[in-house]
Structures are given as C-alpha cells and as structure tokens.
C-alpha cells in the first residue's frame, strides 16, 4: 500500500479535523457495460476523471488475522428495487474496488482495496449486505494440461 498524503496523515492522527474521508465504490461485471460508481456522500463527486454518484453504503475492510484472510463486508442501503434487480441480472460475481479519498482532494487515492469479488449477498427491505472475498488461489485446481502452446515458459 502506498503512503498517505501529508494532509491525510495529519487528518488521521489529529484529535479533531475538518477533513472528510469518503469511500468510492466501483462495481464491475460483464453484463453491466459500464462500471457502477458510488460514493458514500450526500452529493456526487468526481475523482480521477470518473463520476461517483451519491449512495449510502458502509464498508468493513478485510480482516488482518489468519482466521479471516481476505474477507470484507459491504452494506448498501436498499433505497429502491434497482439494487436488487441489478444484482439478480448479473451473470458472474461482480468485481469490487473500494478507494478512500479526502473530500478536499478527491483525485488523490489515499488507500485502495481491489480484487474483491462479491460472493454472498442477502437483502431485506432496508439493506443489501454482501461478503467480499479475494480470489482464493490456494484452493484453485491446477491444470494437468502442460503443452508448449499453453505454457511456453515450461518448455
């Protein structure tokens, strides 16, 4: 992970600050066409040339213990049926990227978690909740097909 900007570092260590930290949520999936981009803010924000629409959500970062490697959670307010309808229409599990920024400098990405996949989603009338996981490469099967065409570095 990259270092925080000096402004972000001061904000993080200050007892009080006027800085506002925001999360940017990007959802990508083959049937969507364009990625969905949201910010947990009351108004839209432009970051790195991309528009993020205001939408209430919370994100809990992946655990740091061996018991829960690579698992995070996200809760999105279920303000209308479009969220559930969009989730139901997806063919593949969506890829999720979460970025942290300061509202005062939205083009500076202070922290980023990418490579997450939405694996389990539940919903009720109030909230859509999901478990986000990193790709589990340890349990992925390894192919026995070893041909020069598929694996030229082996030959």
């Amino acid at each position: 992970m990259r270092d925080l900007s000096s402004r972000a570092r001061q904000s993080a260590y200050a007892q009080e600050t006027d800085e506002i930290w925001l999360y940017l949520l990007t959802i990508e999936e083959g049937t969507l066409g364009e990625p969905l981009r949201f910010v947990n803010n009351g108004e839209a924000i432009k970051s790195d040339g991309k528009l993020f629409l205001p939408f209430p959500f919370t994100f809990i970062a992946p655990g740091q213990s061996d018991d829960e490697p690579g698992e995070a959670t996200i809760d999105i307010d279920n303000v209308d049926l479009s969220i559930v309808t969009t989730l139901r229409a997806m063919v593949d599990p969506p890829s999720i990227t979460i970025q942290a920024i300061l509202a005062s400098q939205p083009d500076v990405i202070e922290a980023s978690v990418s490579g997450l996949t939405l694996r389990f989603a539940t919903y009720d009338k109030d909230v859509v909740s999901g478990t986000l996981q990193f790709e589990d490469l340890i349990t992925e099967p390894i192919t026995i097909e070893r041909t020069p065409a598929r694996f030229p570095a082996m030959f």
Side-chain angles (χ1 to χ4, degrees):
M1 178 154 71
R2 60 184 290 258
D3 291 332
L4 296 176
S5 68
S6 61
R7 184 180 281 181
R9 199 171 21 266
Q10 288 172 351
S11 168
Y13 294 130
Q15 189 168 1
E16 293 181 15
T17 183
D18 291 332
E19 292 291 349
I20 300 169
W21 286 81
L22 299 173
Y23 283 128
L24 305 177
L25 168 64
T26 303
I27 302 172
E28 298 177 273
E29 196 268 344
T31 61
L32 290 176
E34 288 292 318
L36 302 175
R37 293 185 178 91
F38 303 108
V39 59
N40 66 335
N41 193 22
E43 58 188 51
I45 196 162
K46 203 167 198 177
S47 177
D48 197 27
K50 299 172 184 91
L51 181 65
F52 290 81
L53 301 175
F55 210 86
F57 69 90
T58 56
F59 170 72
I60 300 172
Q64 298 298 313
S65 71
D66 290 336
D67 297 335
E68 311 176 349
E71 223 175 72
T73 59
I74 190 164
D75 293 328
I76 303 170
D77 286 4
N78 195 9
V79 294
D80 62 38
L81 288 176
S82 66
I83 301 161
V84 174
T85 303
T86 301
L87 280 174
R88 286 180 178 168
M90 292 181 180
V91 175
D92 297 316
S95 174
I96 308 291
T97 300
I98 302 283
Q99 298 169 309
I101 63 168
L102 294 176
S104 62
Q105 52 186 25
D107 290 328
V108 177
I109 306 300
E110 301 295 347
S112 181
V113 179
S114 60
L116 293 167
T117 302
L118 179 63
R119 291 291 179 191
F120 307 102
T122 60
Y123 61 89
D124 60 26
K125 65 180 180 58
D126 298 319
V127 68
V128 176
S129 299
T131 300
L132 307 174
Q133 297 177 336
F134 284 106
E135 185 178 358
D136 188 4
L137 297 177
I138 295 172
T139 60
E140 282 294 314
I142 298 174
T143 181
I144 59 170
E145 180 187 336
R146 294 184 205 123
T147 64
R150 292 201 41 141
F151 301 95
M154 289 179 66
F155 296 92

